[in-house]
Amino acid sequence: MRPEYLYLHVPFCARRCSYCDFAVQAVREPPVAAWLDAIEAELARTAEAERWDEPLSLRTIYIGGGTPSLLGAGALPELRRRLERFARWGDDVEWTVEANPESFDAALARDWRDAGVNRLSFGAQTFHEPALRWMGRLHGPDGPVRAVEAARAAGFDNYSIDLIFGLPVRLGRDWAEDLERALSLDPAHVSLYGLTAEPATPLGRWVGEGREVLADEETYEAEYLLAAERLGAAGFEHYEVSNFARPGRASRHNGAYWTGEAYLGLGPSAHSYLPPVRRWNLRDWNAYRIALQAGESPVEGAETPDAEEARLERTWLALRTRAGLPRRGWSQDQERIVATWVENGWAELDDERVVLTAAGWLLLDRLAVEFDAAAEGRSA
């Protein structure tokens, strides 16, 4: 299958945030030329291995990280030139690039716009200065404002704001105020991320050693529900468990992940789905680069889900969006389970599908497993 959705991973940051478990490394100056060479080499190798005799026809391009804005001006025009050896896309493509406020300015905005980028994702996370320092973020509370002003001046009107909820209460961050600050930037899209303490991160060590305490479950849930209420009142559609969009501005790229479309990922740790195979690249930048320089595959592993795994995944993906889970072929146990969800305020049900509410999305993993476990007796 020829993928129409392309993801590229930029594994460089000026500093690693305290909570970050992504495949990144802190650098003073990112090796832009080496990254471009590696991406081009991986794409060439993949095209040959998959026998793509014609260029791919892309619907979306997404550049994430890491900090893509750290690449600086000139990198994306050159990336486009190299990609065009293997892919084509029209004016209707959705081309998203992530940016941190401190490394995004007017010159970079114009450079990206000229390259064809038409959607931005800003990592604001919070507007509370003590929380920003605690996270290790390099921008201040006004950083997102300046970044948005630069984006608008360059002609961007489609940009997303990332926010993190569930911070330690002792930091004194006012979540409602953060939501209002984000809305004042007039974004087309807002993404929310609940803070977690991954073991390999500084935050994970702090929590493990008892030096930090995350928000309790009640606070975590209350902040998520407040965001759903406030953003909904402001005209945003809560179209996926973590994402809110103005009408017509939902992320088309991420939608491909949730609907089971084929996609290609390039760069360290990038994942690809070329049905029925899922695969992922080496996580370490140097290992990834060296493999390609040696003419070797950067793929670290691959898997083909069995029938039961694929069924659970379809259930989980359907329940995480407003599209919901189609009401067909359910067993009596599944009908009973969904009726219980509705009674508890976790879901809405009609003749065609079940859709989780914001309260239900807080229980997404549990509910998906519960529904799938009741599949015995599913009608043909």
Side-chain angles (χ1 to χ4, degrees):
M1 184 175 293
R2 294 165 59 85
E4 297 178 319
Y5 305 87
L6 176 65
Y7 173 81
L8 303 99
H9 186 72
V10 178
F12 312 117
C13 285
R15 177 193 295 173
R16 180 182 285 273
C17 296
S18 62
Y19 53 84
C20 178
D21 190 38
F22 293 159
V24 301
Q25 65 180 54
V27 296
R28 291 185 178 180
E29 294 290 338
V32 177
W35 180 78
L36 289 167
D37 288 345
I39 292 295
E40 183 178 17
E42 184 184 0
L43 184 50
R45 181 184 181 88
T46 303
E48 180 179 5
E50 298 294 333
R51 299 181 181 177
W52 294 332
D53 297 329
E54 298 292 329
L56 298 176
S57 179
L58 298 179
R59 295 187 180 186
T60 70
I61 304 169
Y62 194 108
I63 304 178
T67 310
S69 49
L70 202 61
L71 296 176
L76 293 198
E78 175 62 15
L79 174 66
R80 176 169 188 149
R81 186 187 70 79
R82 298 189 188 208
L83 290 180
E84 286 177 337
R85 288 183 52 205
F86 308 94
R88 301 286 184 269
W89 56 90
D91 293 338
D92 61 343
V93 72
E94 177 193 83
W95 186 349
T96 305
V97 186
E98 295 179 352
N100 279 356
E102 73 277 0
S103 53
F104 187 84
D105 57 21
L108 187 61
R110 292 191 298 269
D111 181 75
W112 285 7
R113 189 69 175 163
D114 290 344
V117 177
N118 52 25
R119 185 174 183 272
L120 303 172
S121 179
F122 290 116
Q125 316 310 356
T126 181
F127 298 87
H128 183 244
E129 188 168 10
L132 287 168
R133 289 198 305 269
W134 176 84
M135 291 178 180
R137 305 293 290 178
L138 294 174
H139 64 87
D142 294 330
V145 177
R146 292 191 294 271
V148 166
E149 289 174 348
R152 288 175 177 164
F156 287 100
D157 65 354
N158 191 4
Y159 50 89
S160 180
I161 301 294
D162 289 354
L163 295 174
I164 293 180
F165 68 97
L167 297 184
V169 174
R170 70 169 187 82
L171 293 173
R173 191 271 297 268
D174 187 327
W175 176 234
E177 182 179 350
D178 263 2
L179 292 170
E180 294 304 318
R181 291 284 297 273
L183 287 172
S184 73
L185 299 178
D186 193 26
H189 190 280
V190 175
S191 294
L192 302 183
Y193 300 93
L195 183 68
T196 58
E198 301 300 330
T201 65
L203 176 58
R205 292 193 295 274
W206 299 342
V207 171
E209 295 167 0
R211 293 191 289 144
E212 189 58 89
V213 178
L214 298 183
D216 59 29
E217 184 175 344
E218 182 177 345
T219 300
Y220 185 98
E221 293 178 357
E223 291 192 353
Y224 178 79
L225 295 176
L226 176 63
E229 177 185 354
R230 182 65 191 91
L231 291 169
F236 286 79
E237 180 187 9
H238 194 177
Y239 73 97
E240 192 268 346
V241 59
S242 300
N243 290 282
F244 302 76
R246 299 283 188 190
R249 294 302 181 93
S251 170
R252 288 160 48 197
H253 182 83
N254 288 339
Y257 301 152
W258 306 324
T259 54
E261 300 285 349
Y263 57 87
L264 177 63
L266 303 175
S269 80
H271 284 58
S272 298
Y273 179 47
L274 303 178
V277 179
R278 300 189 183 280
R279 69 188 190 204
W280 53 94
N281 284 348
L282 293 163
R283 180 180 174 90
D284 179 75
W285 155 246
N286 287 317
Y288 165 84
R289 174 182 55 83
I290 291 170
L292 286 165
Q293 286 178 337
E296 299 173 354
S297 171
V299 174
E300 182 178 41
E303 64 182 11
T304 301
D306 63 25
E308 291 186 0
E309 292 169 334
R311 186 185 66 197
L312 175 57
E313 183 177 82
R314 287 195 299 272
T315 297
W316 183 75
L317 290 173
L319 287 174
R320 70 177 294 132
T321 74
R322 287 297 300 174
L325 186 65
R327 190 176 188 179
R328 59 173 180 265
W330 291 1
S331 69
Q332 291 184 346
D333 283 344
Q334 288 173 319
E335 290 280 1
R336 176 184 54 78
I337 285 170
V338 170
T340 301
W341 295 356
V342 174
E343 291 175 8
N344 289 328
W346 300 336
E348 298 169 350
L349 178 67
D350 60 25
D351 291 338
E352 296 184 357
R353 66 192 61 249
V354 60
V355 178
L356 295 186
T357 63
W361 271 329
L362 284 165
L363 305 171
L364 172 63
D365 291 349
R366 188 190 107 190
L367 299 186
V369 170
E370 182 179 58
F371 183 90
D372 184 72
E376 299 299 328
R378 179 190 295 267
S379 60

